[in-house]
Amino acid sequence: MATHTATVLWERNGAAFTDNRYSRGHRWIFDGGVEVPASSAPSVVPAPLSVAEAVDPEEAFAAALSSCHMLFFLAFAMKKGFVVERYRDEAVAEMGKNASGRTMVARVTLRPRIEWAGQKRPTAEDLDALHHASH
């Protein structure tokens, strides 16, 4: 079975901490050496305690789901002989409350737009089947 790891690193950097005025900025470090600046969303914890330019967990969750769907979609399209020229998805993660009233990602909506190349083009039924298989 495959394992996948990520390191999440946060440092206090001299902040008092117990006054709740510490930075939520941190880093995600992946096994290939890529480091991604991360933070809570500014809509959850206002700047300057959040870093607006960083990726927040909700955005990352939407991106991970979208990326996974896209990778399967590309593989299935290739196996059917369709040539994908470009795939763009502007995924949206929506926050909500669960049955206990706790905040959660309630829904992620994928909105892929695909550009095709070559002679063979998918029908609407082909597209539905490709997306269904990619879930």
Side-chain angles (χ1 to χ4, degrees):
M1 188 116 199
T3 59
H4 305 272
T5 62
T7 299
V8 175
L9 177 62
W10 174 87
E11 297 174 286
R12 185 168 57 91
N13 292 325
F17 192 73
T18 56
D19 65 358
N20 201 28
R21 306 251 342 127
Y22 59 91
S23 173
R24 274 44 169 206
H26 56 284
R27 293 180 286 156
W28 297 339
I29 306 163
F30 298 96
D31 60 0
V34 172
E35 290 195 26
V36 176
S39 177
S40 58
S43 61
V44 176
V45 179
L49 301 178
S50 284
V51 182
E53 299 81 15
V55 178
D56 63 66
E58 297 82 5
E59 291 170 324
F61 185 65
L65 292 177
S66 175
S67 182
C68 187
H69 181 89
M70 178 199 69
L71 292 169
F72 275 106
F73 184 93
L74 294 174
F76 295 145
M78 178 273 305
K79 287 179 182 175
K80 294 286 188 184
F82 301 120
V83 178
V84 177
E85 185 68 31
R86 186 169 193 255
Y87 184 109
R88 179 184 175 113
D89 186 1
E90 296 180 14
V92 177
E94 296 177 52
M95 303 302 288
K97 302 275 184 187
N98 66 14
S100 302
R102 297 187 61 128
T103 301
M104 62 177 244
V105 176
R107 176 187 334 209
V108 176
T109 303
L110 304 181
R111 301 179 302 173
R113 292 191 312 219
I114 298 113
E115 293 177 22
W116 303 96
Q119 295 296 328
K120 186 176 180 182
R121 302 295 171 108
T123 64
E125 292 80 22
D126 291 328
L127 275 175
D128 285 346
L130 289 168
H131 283 298
H132 182 73
S134 299
H135 285 350

